[in-house]
Structure formats: C-alpha cells, structure tokens
Amino acid sequence: MKFARKALVPLTSLSIFIAIIGGVTSCVSTKSIVYFQGDSLQYSTQEIKQKYIPTIQPNDLLSIVVGSLNAEANEVFNTPNSFTTASTNYSTTGGGARTQPLGYLVDADGSIEIPLVGKLKIVGLRTTDAADTIRVRLKNFLKEPSVIVRNLNFKVSVLGEIARPSVYVIPDEKISLPEVISLAGDLTIFGRRDNVLIIREENGKREYARVDLTSRDIFTSPFYYVHKNDVIYVEPIKTRLNATDRNVQLVPIVTSIVAAVGTLGILILNFTK
C-alpha cells in the first residue's frame, strides 16, 4: 500500500502536466489557421475573373503633378501639392503622425478646380484617364505638358485580432486582401481566419461581407481586391484569452509547466530513494 501511495503522487503530477500541455496545444487547430486550403496538387491554375479598376470619386484627394518646358509656369499648377497640412495618423507602418499634401479635392459633383483651367469634371475616371483629360486642357497654357495624377487618400482600416491594427494608405490604389493583411503584420494566432468581416461603402450603400481566408474561394470573391475606405475586422476565436499581449498570456502557462516539471522531478527523486 505504501508503494501504491508513493506511485500515485508522481502519476497525478504527470497527468496534470500532460493536461496542461494538451490544453495549450489543442486551443488552436492547424486547420483553422492555414490559409488558402484546397487540393493537394503541387501545381494548379485558376482563371482571374474579378477585375477591380479604381475610379475617382467625390471627396478623393488627388495629387496632380504638372511638368512642361517652362518650370515657372509649372509651379502655378503644382502649388497645391507643395502646401502641407497636419494629417491623421495614416501610415503604412501602422503609426506615427505625418503631413500630407493639400492636393486637389474632388467636390460633391465630381469636379476639381485647377488654376487657369477652371472646373474640370473627372468623377468616374481612372487616374490615368484624368491625367489625359487635364493634359489636353493644359495645352492652352503650356508647351508639351505632362500630367501625373495620384490618389492621396486611398486608405483602408484594419482592426481586431491583427498584429498592427491601423489605417493604411495604399499608394498604388490597388491591393488585395491578403496583401493588406501582410502589410498589417498578419492575423494573431487568436484571429478567426474563416470569418473575416469586410465593411464597404459605395454607391450610397453599405455592404457587409464575410470571407474565409482558409479557403481558396477567396481568390474568386468580389472582396478579394480591397476598395477605398474598406474596413477589415478580424474577430477573435472563442478560446481567446483575456489578455491582449501574447507574451503575457504565455507566462502563467509556461510557469505552470515549469513548476509541474520541477515538482514531478522532485517526486520521482524522492520515490527512487
């Protein structure tokens, strides 16, 4: 009976230790965190069906850079790009205040006001088409003008269980959902990859869509390409721990494991004496 009682103690500690390890490893399954799951072929192809072409909309802030043989005349048109104003913490690195050009603001009826040229309606045009339209009008004032148009406030918001939640300004005006998530440092281990919410406001209505990043169906989704002002929200899994710092979350677990191992070692040594 003495032997049985002595053996029972280390076995109980061992059971607790295994339970702790099992609890940690079973919280998140591999299937729930692997992206783009599908067939197991080493190579396959898929036709790209969705084609997103961003166009200029009211309240867009545009940078319009004009060049010609007359540098002094160019400054008349480029002045709005030179002035700066304090901006919100929009950053491609997820934080830090910066200044942004004042630019040309597209008004409610889709027009911009250009010095000497006057009002010019460009709503619904791609930035390249808008540049061509402005270039034609500038030929009345400049010799061999060149025009580059860029959207300065093409931004998306990423929040929830993401490594670096923030508002991100997209310089090339076209980006996919996986690219935005990569920019934001990926989802945390506690983020639901199968139910990412995208909120989109376009054409006077607000849309709510759920996408599954664990499936290859995301590549054929109309929400694969992110639109201007999209909000991307990653909700937590049910087993999400209360603390937000993953390092802090692991400290008590690691401490318990170390303590259990230490206790188990001491008990085994006592048992073998």
Side-chain angles (χ1 to χ4, degrees):
M1 292 296 294
K2 252 185 189 182
F3 177 81
R5 281 197 301 270
K6 284 185 178 180
L8 181 61
V9 175
L11 286 175
T12 303
S13 299
L14 181 60
S15 300
I16 294 172
F17 174 71
I18 293 172
I20 292 172
I21 294 294
V24 174
T25 56
S26 63
C27 286
V28 182
S29 66
T30 303
K31 190 175 181 181
S32 66
I33 61 175
V34 174
Y35 294 113
F36 318 134
Q37 297 172 46
D39 58 63
S40 57
L41 298 175
Q42 290 186 348
Y43 175 79
S44 62
T45 61
Q46 184 181 64
E47 183 182 353
I48 300 176
K49 294 182 178 180
Q50 70 276 54
K51 295 179 181 179
Y52 172 54
I53 301 175
T55 57
I56 296 171
Q57 301 298 323
N59 299 317
D60 278 355
L61 188 63
L62 305 177
S63 165
I64 301 176
V65 179
V66 175
S68 72
L69 298 177
N70 190 331
E72 286 187 19
N74 297 340
E75 291 304 314
V76 174
F77 305 99
N78 292 329
T79 298
N81 298 317
S82 301
F83 290 123
T84 58
T85 181
S87 71
T88 316
N89 290 347
Y90 301 150
S91 172
T92 54
T93 57
R98 69 182 182 90
T99 57
Q100 72 177 36
L102 184 61
Y104 289 88
L105 182 65
V106 182
D107 61 24
D109 68 357
S111 300
I112 55 173
E113 185 84 27
I114 300 179
L116 300 179
V117 174
K119 269 198 149 187
L120 193 60
K121 195 159 189 173
I122 56 173
V123 68
L125 298 179
R126 295 180 298 178
T127 52
T128 52
D129 296 332
D132 291 338
T133 301
I134 296 169
R135 185 182 301 109
V136 170
R137 298 289 291 269
L138 287 177
K139 285 182 179 179
N140 297 324
F141 309 96
L142 300 173
K143 188 174 182 180
E144 298 182 18
S146 65
V147 179
I148 299 174
V149 178
R150 290 285 183 270
N151 196 318
L152 295 174
N153 63 348
F154 190 107
K155 60 185 184 293
V156 296
S157 302
V158 190
L159 62 157
E161 285 296 333
I162 203 82
R164 294 190 298 272
S166 186
V167 179
Y168 291 88
V169 175
I170 311 303
D172 55 5
E173 304 174 17
K174 185 176 181 181
I175 192 169
S176 67
L177 180 58
E179 288 176 312
V180 171
I181 290 173
S182 298
L183 191 66
D186 201 2
L187 278 65
T188 71
I189 195 67
F190 302 109
R192 282 197 62 178
R193 288 152 173 78
D194 63 341
N195 199 33
V196 176
L197 174 64
I198 298 178
I199 305 171
R200 178 170 295 169
E201 293 185 14
E202 283 185 339
N203 304 318
K205 65 178 182 179
R206 184 178 292 115
E207 298 177 279
Y208 301 88
R210 301 272 181 176
V211 297
D212 183 0
L213 293 175
T214 66
S215 170
R216 292 187 187 180
D217 291 341
I218 181 63
F219 294 107
T220 58
S221 168
F223 291 86
Y224 175 71
Y225 286 110
V226 175
H227 292 201
K228 183 169 68 87
N229 296 326
D230 276 1
V231 176
I232 301 166
Y233 172 65
V234 180
E235 65 181 76
I237 58 176
K238 290 182 179 179
T239 55
R240 173 69 162 107
L241 299 178
N242 293 328
T244 57
D245 189 336
R246 284 176 292 176
N247 293 328
V248 173
Q249 293 165 1
L250 291 175
V251 166
I253 298 175
V254 173
T255 303
S256 299
I257 292 173
V258 172
V261 171
T263 303
L264 182 60
I266 292 171
L267 291 172
I268 290 173
L269 287 174
N270 290 335
F271 176 74
T272 55
K273 285 182 179 180

